[in-house]
Amino acid sequence: MSEPLDAGQRRRLEEVYELVADLGPDELSVALDAYCAPGDPIRAELEALLASTPDRGFMATGLPWATVLAREESIPELTLEGFELVRRLGAGGMGTVFEAVQESPRRRVALKVVRSDSDSVELARRLEREGEVLARLRHPAIAVIHASGTCRTPLGGTLPFLAMELVEEAQPLTAYAEQHGLELAARLELFALCCDGVEHAHQRGVLHRDLKPSNLLVDGNGLPKIIDFGIARILAADESPLSRHTRTGQVLGTPAYMSPEQFVGDPDAVDARTDVYALGVVLFELVAGRLPYDLAGRSLVECATIVRQQVPTRLSTIHTRFRGDLDLLVATALRKEPELRYASAAALAADLRRHLRGEPIAAQRTGTFRQFRMFARRHRGLALSVAVIVLVSVVGALVATDFAIEAGARSRESELRLREVERQAYRLGLQAAFGGFDAGRSTPAQELLAATPESLRGWECAVLEGLQDRSVATARVDGQPRAAPLAFSHDGRSLAVARTDGRVERRNVPGLEVLDATVCAPGPIVALSYVDEGVVAVAGADGVVRVVELGSGTERARLEEPVLPHAMAWRAEGRELLCGTQRSALLAWRALDDGEVRTVAPGYCASIGLLADGSGVFTQGGVLTLLQADDQLDRSFPAMELGVGAAALSPDGRWVAGGGAGKLVRIHDARTGLPVAHLFGHSSEVVTLAFSPDGHCLVSGSHDGSVRTWDVATGSPLATFSPVDRESIGAVRFSPSGRWIAAIGSMGRLRILPRAAGTSSALLTERRPGHNTVALSPDGSLCATASFFAFEDHVRLWDVDLGEVVAELHGHAWSVGELEFSRDGRWLASGGADRTAIVWDVARGEAATVFEEHASSVESIRWSPDGTWIASSGLAGELLVWEAASGALRHRIVAGTGQQALGLAISPSGSEIALGFGPRVMLYDAASADLLAEFTTGPGAVTDLEFHPAGGLLAVGCVGEGSGLWDWRRGVRVHELPAFGGRSYLDFDPRGERLAMTSTDGEVWLQDCVEWVRMCTLGDCLHGVCDLDWSADGSRLAVVERNGSVRIWGPRSNAERFGIASRTEAEAARVRSSLEALLARGEYADADHEVVDAAVRRGRWLARMRATEAGRRQAAYSMRLRRTLARERASSPELRSAVSAVLGLAEPAREDLERAVEAARRDGCGEQLRLALVRLGVDVAEADGLPAPDDPALSLYDGCAGALLGLARDDLDSGRAYLEALRLLLADPRAEVIARRLLPLVERIEVRFAERSRR
Amino acid sequence: MKESHDANQELTRLLEEAAGGDADAAGRLADAVHAELRRVARSYLGRERGGPTLQATALVHEAWLRLFPGGDASFENRRHFFGSAAQAMRRILVDRARRRERAGLDRGSERADDPGITAVVDDVAVPVEDLLSVHEAFDELAALYPRKAEVVELRYFCGLTEPEVAAVLGASRNTVTRDWQFARSWLHRRLSDRRSEES
């Protein structure tokens, strides 16, 4: 060691170490020059420390503590009848092994006392049962099991044990081979003997399941002895390997030797070939001295991913002498697909011995092209890495070259094959680009796509282009090796950013050109905050905080506390500076007054978010804490997980966002502290968060290098700005206008990002209630949504480009479940649970035709291609055909009874109508209403139908098996689609080249209709999907997520979106501009300015109506009930009187309501009535003046209704989602009164769910 | 029930006194923690659950739960408890290593005293070799860089993960990572210096 450092030097050493520890060698020398004066004694020490790189094992944690603590006492504590314990041999994942002497017959045994997490009685029973089988294994290479049973411990517990043959001088196979320096041939021979033993057990129906070198022993005579046969199964008969591992936190089976199918945890998938795989790994290790996969230090989940997806290292790449048969032999044993491995240990041993004798082996080489295809299949749906892309292009090029050579002979065929390869490359490129988009790895994939023939590049490619991350401006902050602090000026026109040399640069926004640079500190700056226009506070690495005027550099105040603030914020109108420090505390400094400093809170503070009134949120020792304006700490805020390093408070003070080491960002309700949204997406620690000034948007920056924006209302991800050069993000800020995001990376890359960019072209969201059904106008500019589950009786029209509601269409008396635009976009048809269909004039926002002939809830509605008539179907199975203009009924068709009719489609020619009825599809002649054809798709109900634009084929989505493309005339399925357990939705693009489809779990993908393969996955909607619609011109695809947000994919570029109006402008102006846009497109030739003005007036009227929505609803409820009551023709007198009683009361009490609900339940016919009553409860509650519309109480009622509806519609999944939400809501203190009222109802619903699930 | 409640109160009092700087209380607390750790460890071995590879962090948490069933989670108390536990763990390890050394046992790994059984000892080895020297170097570190030493104590001797250490110390995760990196580098350097001095 060099000269000892004094205390001051040590402190500086620690600080500088923190600043430079992560730097690369080039940056390091620059930084050390910056931080250390020449001859500085700490420099040598620093360099020595940084050069000292202990290997991973050094001071590795996780010592076997219990053993250490208890080992000395453990032997005397154990007594086993019939055995004399001699000594402990060791302890392992399964238990402790002793050398013991069995009394009768007298022999030395290895006694394994088994530890297990499962019930010991059950375990003992299994041991007994299986022990007999094991005891029958007699093979020289298998250690014999002598006895098994249970023994007592002094503490009164029982421990299962196994007594087995004591293997003298045992060593693991690999260790033995190393120690004895065995030649390759000797190793292989020894290994073949092991295979013989494994084969013997397999012949007797016993799998080992945990083969690894430490179970493949070699005794003192150099002969193999396999131990622990079948033990893995006894210990884990009913557990998947993953659950077993995660539960104990210990690895019982060793992941390195586990086969891909073992990771899946499906016990049926495990057979003899699983042991063959493990033997393959051991063989690889025995020959090569290392493992085929690098799994060191990986979590089990990562191991599973690697083993199931990565190509194992080829033996031949380790040493050329392994080339040829041995390489192939090992690779065959290591195949991921069991069917491609050796079928038995004997086959493996036989090939080994052939190889040893120099004979040709039996294993077959797989063709490159076949491998490529298998590879592509395995990776479908996954985000592909760059390596895959490279592989794909290389393989593609190779194949292409091959064919080019052969061109003379077979040009036609090779041409076809080349096209096939190109299309395959295109699809893989798409998959990779979409999959990699979120992770910021889509660039190489897009390059690959750009290389594919232009004729292949379609809509989805245009969507990708629209998704490109476009920084508006980028700049490099010089001399700044670490993430620099930055701050927008109050007017938002400039951005201040600190540099290591102590200067603060001002750059214009959004251009990022340098305006000026002011020296504010002698050395690096670690934190920066604006006080006033042109005045900043900077915290230097020297521990001094200075308040400096930019431009002149005049120092206005300084604080010389030994602190290193990492977060600063001004409050009390710029009179007091809060400094969050690295070490000690959150300090408040009255910088520009008397300079007084006081401690607000102890603990390390990394992040502060403040409101104008001085209250705010900060992180205290890794926990979110609320700070009140009077400096009191709000301890009631529940501590979420630890390690939160980033915090932000929404400008309205309602939401607190926190993020940190846990990678996820949580949004909490600031009043209750309850988390309202969990934002998943970042792959590394979240370091910085900021709310947009309007509070709608949250931006997060992470060590993973990406910047993400999120919709605060729904928690939906809005946009991902990809990492550049693996640079992690240091800070993000919103501009005061909310239009721009400034982000700075760890290497000093400064970017201005547009908030309006997104992963889809647009996202339409409202806090609640969510939408459940969607229709896009033919040009994709308008989007109609309605919320079935939330019982909204109106349709909302959105301007997609504005992202705003431009009109609400009122007229239905009950939930609207289905929407479709006419082909010319002038009309919108809606169908509702009120058994009414309405045709709306879109421009006027008024009902043109009201059609009330349905006998059940209108489930589907479709326009004829010429727009003159409409087909609509009711849930009960009636199909009505009627005139769009007059509502005159043309046909009433009843498909049958006892099933639900869910899907409806009209053929492109308009001559056929397809109706899904239960598991059947019925085809009717549109003119005559005759039944043309009928076929059954599968056991589950048909949920969606769509004719292929060319006619003849019908895409069918159904529950379970049967989805696909059907030739409806012959009732034959031409192409299959995957089966899902719930509803799936589908729609063709207008040219019929691609089919958009959703799965129950929320995946949205495109199916290539030419080759009938999956083209690419557009996105995963975490919450599941309720509906989707493709605009008639094919430009946009709208998908409704179950959380209510509508995602719209389309090729519109972000640049076009930047120019649009923001949410802050007046509603009337938005309506006007959107309608003017409509006019400009010439779709409404007869419209004039009066129409526009009327629309503006309507916008104002709507705004007013929304303000008094509660009142309006209350006035409407009795009318609704009466209508519903009138329709429930089968209702019993009891029900009628109960409902009348409710209606007769000015303020119905809970008991009345419940009685009515109960009567409705007994009556058995009153689904809608029950819902009406629940809804009535909401109205009553509102009449009580209890909740505001977005209160949890309202959610409670909606939750009940949703759960009931789920039951009624047999959609248990969605019902359960509501029920889960209900359970959460019931705990909400704000809904206490209502919760108490509703609890019995919820309990009853739960019982119903349980009953239904059992059935 | 009452008895355990009293015991709990007694422990909480000890914890508070120790946190307040009472050396005697700190010693008695460490003894109590030590005893409890052993109890937990033994019961884990003696029964079916848990087992010899139980992690230190689980042991310590279990001891914490047993000693303070009420879940007294005051920041200072928690920090002090884990500090005591870490010291207890260190003491146990070091005592044990010293005993073994005195008994003339090989300063090798656990495996070495029972040659030939490595096969059935699944990856369980206590690096006794390093332990005493780490301990000595650790004392030096504690004198020079007390905060780093605290991290080492919790991370290495107490087996806590980085986020847990961060929570216990009320420091950021980054700080803990960096401190741990610093301490490892420092200790590694110190140990290799000593080794070269010896040879």
Side-chain angles (χ1 to χ4, degrees), chain A residues 803-816:
Chain A
E804 288 290 334
V805 176
V806 290
E808 287 188 3
L809 311 178
H810 289 270
H812 279 283
W814 192 243
S815 299
V816 179

Side-chain angles (χ1 to χ4, degrees), chain A residues 954-1244:
Chain A
L954 185 66
V956 180
C958 53
V959 178
E961 194 54 45
S963 294
L965 206 53
W966 290 74
D967 178 339
W968 59 267
R969 288 192 177 81
R970 294 184 292 140
V972 176
R973 183 154 63 154
V974 182
H975 290 302
E976 290 184 16
L977 282 170
F980 299 109
R983 287 185 79 155
S984 53
Y985 300 87
L986 36 80
D987 200 2
F988 284 103
D989 81 333
R991 294 204 288 179
E993 288 169 355
R994 38 188 76 75
L995 175 72
M997 175 143 186
T998 67
S999 69
T1000 318
D1001 52 6
E1003 195 185 6
V1004 182
W1005 82 89
L1006 296 182
Q1007 185 85 5
D1008 181 334
C1009 296
V1010 181
E1011 295 184 61
W1012 204 255
V1013 288
R1014 186 187 278 223
M1015 200 178 235
C1016 58
T1017 304
L1018 286 178
D1020 277 314
C1021 302
L1022 289 176
H1023 307 273
V1025 174
C1026 301
D1027 198 9
L1028 97 177
D1029 190 37
W1030 212 317
S1031 68
D1033 68 355
S1035 65
R1036 287 177 172 179
L1037 176 70
V1039 176
V1040 190
E1041 286 186 57
R1042 267 190 200 282
N1043 70 349
S1045 53
V1046 180
R1047 224 165 251 290
I1048 295 179
W1049 275 282
R1052 189 171 296 258
S1053 71
N1054 289 324
E1056 285 175 74
R1057 302 198 62 234
F1058 300 157
I1060 65 172
S1062 75
R1063 286 178 193 236
T1064 52
E1065 289 173 34
E1067 180 170 6
R1070 279 201 300 272
V1071 174
R1072 177 191 285 273
S1073 68
S1074 91
L1075 279 163
E1076 274 169 352
L1078 277 178
L1079 290 173
R1081 282 199 286 275
E1083 286 176 22
Y1084 302 96
D1086 56 344
D1088 55 24
H1089 282 285
E1090 268 180 43
V1091 178
V1092 177
D1093 286 335
V1096 173
R1097 279 198 299 279
R1098 194 177 74 238
R1100 291 195 186 120
W1101 178 79
L1102 282 176
R1104 222 172 34 244
M1105 282 315 288
R1106 270 206 286 273
T1108 60
E1109 201 170 11
R1112 189 169 55 82
R1113 239 188 264 149
Q1114 195 192 345
Y1117 84 80
S1118 59
M1119 185 200 77
R1120 266 189 222 152
L1121 255 186
R1122 286 200 177 89
R1123 261 185 90 168
T1124 315
L1125 190 61
R1127 292 218 166 128
E1128 297 285 350
R1129 296 181 186 92
S1131 57
S1132 62
E1134 184 196 8
L1135 176 61
R1136 280 176 174 277
S1137 70
V1139 173
S1140 302
V1142 171
L1143 287 174
L1145 294 169
E1147 284 189 354
R1150 187 197 62 180
E1151 293 75 26
D1152 301 315
L1153 271 174
E1154 286 204 345
R1155 206 175 305 127
V1157 171
E1158 187 57 28
R1161 194 185 62 78
R1162 275 200 303 275
D1163 192 70
C1165 71
E1167 170 208 332
Q1168 291 193 28
L1169 187 57
R1170 279 201 306 281
L1171 299 176
L1173 288 164
V1174 171
R1175 189 68 208 186
L1176 174 65
V1178 179
D1179 296 323
V1180 170
E1182 278 171 7
D1184 291 348
L1186 282 172
D1190 63 344
D1191 232 280
L1194 191 66
S1195 317
L1196 268 174
Y1197 283 108
D1198 282 344
C1200 287
L1204 279 170
L1205 196 63
L1207 277 176
R1209 292 162 70 102
D1210 227 9
D1211 187 352
L1212 292 188
D1213 284 346
S1214 84
R1216 232 173 248 125
Y1218 275 106
L1219 208 52
E1220 266 168 38
L1222 267 178
R1223 290 191 191 111
L1224 285 177
L1225 286 164
L1226 284 173
D1228 192 323
R1230 290 171 299 153
E1232 201 185 357
V1233 180
I1234 313 285
R1236 236 181 290 131
R1237 277 194 197 177
L1238 277 177
L1239 198 57
L1241 179 62
V1242 175
E1243 280 167 0
R1244 236 175 296 144

